[in-house]
Amino acid sequence: MKQVLEFEKPVIALREKIAELKTFTKESDLDLTEEIVKLETRLEKLENDIYTNLKPWDRVQMARHAERPTTLDYVEQLFTDFLEFHGDRYYGDDAAIVAGIAKYKGRPVTIVGHQRGKTTKENIRRNFGMPHPEGFRKAARHMQQAAKFGRPIICFIDTKGAFPGRAAEERGQSEAIARNLMEMSGFEVPIICIVIGEGGSGGALALGVGDRLLMLENSTFSVISPEGAASILWKDGGKAKEAAEKLKITAPDLKELGVIDDIIPEIRGGAHRDLASQAELVDQAITEHLSQLEKLDKQVLLEQRWEKYSNIGSFAK
Amino acid sequence: MLKDFFSKKKHASKPSEEAKQDIPEGLMLKCSDCGKIYYREEMRKQLYVCPNCGHHHQLPSDERINNLFDEGSFMEYDTDLNTGNPLGFPSYTQKLEKDQLKTGLKEAVVTGEGTINGFRTAFAVMDSRFRMASMGSVVGEKISRAIEKAREANIPFIIFTASGGARMQEGALSLMQMAKTSAAVQRFRDAGGLMISVMTNPTYGGVSASFASLGDYNFAEPGALIGFAGRRVVEETIREKLPEDFQTAEFLLAHGQLDDVINRHDMKKYLTTILDIHQAGGNVS
Ligand SMILES: [Zn+2]
């Protein structure tokens, strides 16, 4: 049973109605074909209206959809010979981040990504994709290796944020994130970062510094969750919908602000509707950007990366 | 963004509501830790360190600069950068104007260069009286430019951090300042530059998780609260009571997260020694 999102309810209701009429037509003497055709036209229009005019809060729901494809889903679709490696060599292995090496169209790459679970059990094991310092340090270790062996780095971002726990603080959550931001800005290999679900704050950015920051059409990228912003601003977490609009967290808004480089379109109804088709769209984006970046000399690559970051910000005239 | 550290009296430096009511505004100051009352001028001379209990209160950025730099040596950078309202966030502009009036500052960080006992140094000091020194575009830009200037001039960079975290009203533009400043640190590091970070109360969120943690040496003032997530958020997440000293400078030191905790009165001498060691060359013979 697929999870139904609030804004999709009219679509689902209409679909059910059509199915009902079809069954009725088949089982009775009454021919409702004409009525069915009318409703199908209406459905087509309704789907179009709803899915092409998604509000920020609708996209938040989409980004959080329980069946939304995760890092490992895309890895399986897009890469061959993937080998997952574990541990940060200091403390432990954080299952909220996966990292490893693989081939992308025959070319060696390093893959790093946040990993949510799709079931409660897996979510508990992976801490809902919210990393501890050891997760970020595992990521750093693999990216350092990528730089050493000249492999491009592909990052998948999908987290509510770094885990706000006692142990995380004791082991230097801040330092682990800061170090990733700093080191990623200096690795002499192409880095492509793709927000596939939620991109929450510093924990998302810790896998998000590179030559390209791309977002799936219905993913979000934000300095704070809409709920968190609402509770700080209006002391009312229930105003999350309003906060989602004010914070400008959707791909189109962030493209306009110059925060992201490109939007990867989603299939109608959201990425969870058809993984293989969605993966194809992600594939196209990776190929396009990687082929641009591969042509660049190391020094030019780093210079362009610095330019990109040093230009992000907005000032009054 | 993380307002909750003020709820804890023990280590926070903001005067309590009670203290504000007790004392004539301006003339007297009450130590937020031990409660002793002092003339403001006397506290100012003590760099706002309580003579009785040693509690480090908030030190305004101009006083910090006057205390550290050789007289008349400080030259401010980038005074012409102004904060806008890129997301059109409701009441953001008014909030900025209010804090500008209150503090006489244009933004939450002052950057520049000067000499510390003769050592030329680029510098940034964040001032938590302004929007909790949260990091928006201007704060990130000024810090990143100051680091670039240190790189170009081949001089050390020292930063005194304080921040509640990200500037929520600037959304992802605020978040990206973490990346920008950290990238500037990387360039500075590649050029062999010396960076010293001194965290003051409070240093949280996006600032703690970027340049504040990226010095060649990371220090903190006594009692300063430092962390990624605020105490209340952590307590709500793990549903357990945290130790009294959680996220204090001393707690971080004990957990291997700092090089040392330095008293404000010793700061200038301490920094001078580091600058000297990094400049000294020669051979033992
Ligand atoms: Zn005292």
Side-chain angles (χ1 to χ4, degrees), chain B residues 14-256:
Chain B
K14 197 176 154 185
S16 65
E17 285 308 313
E18 190 193 337
K20 277 185 195 163
Q21 283 164 14
D22 288 356
I23 306 157
E25 188 70 36
L27 189 62
M28 308 294 284
L29 277 178
K30 183 173 172 179
C31 174
S32 63
D33 199 2
C34 73
K36 266 198 107 134
I37 295 170
Y38 297 93
Y39 281 108
R40 179 180 283 272
E41 186 53 26
E42 189 189 344
M43 272 294 241
R44 201 182 64 82
K45 279 183 193 150
Q46 293 296 326
L47 303 173
Y48 299 90
V49 177
C50 175
N52 181 49
C53 72
H55 183 78
H56 282 51
H57 297 87
Q58 200 173 50
L59 179 64
S61 46
D62 53 333
E63 311 244 10
R64 174 91 63 190
I65 289 165
N66 289 339
N67 171 249
L68 278 177
F69 285 87
D70 305 333
E71 209 179 325
S73 75
F74 191 76
M75 181 188 79
E76 194 175 344
Y77 295 152
D78 297 308
T79 50
D80 57 343
L81 273 176
N82 292 305
T83 297
N85 187 0
L87 308 190
F89 216 91
S91 72
Y92 181 36
T93 309
Q94 290 90 311
K95 281 177 176 162
L96 290 167
E97 283 166 0
K98 201 176 133 208
D99 281 6
Q100 283 161 351
L101 268 174
K102 188 181 83 187
T103 61
L105 298 165
K106 275 172 90 173
E107 252 294 351
V109 68
V110 177
T111 58
E113 65 170 79
T115 59
I116 297 174
N117 284 323
F119 293 101
R120 188 180 163 209
T121 304
F123 184 77
V125 57
M126 303 180 82
D127 197 319
S128 59
R129 294 173 303 160
F130 192 101
R131 301 271 86 220
M132 273 307 298
S134 56
M135 179 156 63
S137 296
V138 167
V139 170
E141 180 72 12
K142 283 178 82 172
I143 289 169
S144 133
R145 284 191 194 181
I147 298 170
E148 279 288 282
K149 281 177 180 139
R151 185 178 64 84
E152 283 155 14
N154 195 22
I155 54 176
F157 174 68
I158 299 179
I159 184 159
F160 281 75
T161 69
S163 184
R167 181 80 54 93
M168 190 170 46
Q169 293 89 345
E170 292 190 31
L173 290 173
S174 164
L175 183 62
M176 298 309 271
Q177 303 309 309
M178 294 170 69
K180 181 202 278 183
T181 52
S182 301
V185 175
Q186 178 65 41
R187 278 161 70 85
F188 186 50
R189 187 175 274 242
D190 280 344
L194 164 67
M195 172 169 161
I196 301 169
S197 167
V198 182
M199 294 175 238
T200 72
N201 188 52
T203 296
Y204 273 85
V207 165
S208 167
S210 62
F211 54 85
S213 296
L214 295 174
D216 295 292
Y217 307 102
N218 297 328
F219 303 111
E221 288 191 333
L225 291 172
I226 301 154
F228 180 67
R231 182 188 187 94
R232 197 182 59 199
V233 173
V234 175
E235 271 180 346
E236 278 169 8
T237 305
I238 62 172
R239 295 193 191 90
E240 69 177 73
K241 201 89 185 110
L242 294 163
E244 171 79 354
D245 67 344
F246 184 67
Q247 293 184 326
T248 59
E250 294 73 15
F251 178 92
L252 265 74
L253 183 67
H255 283 87

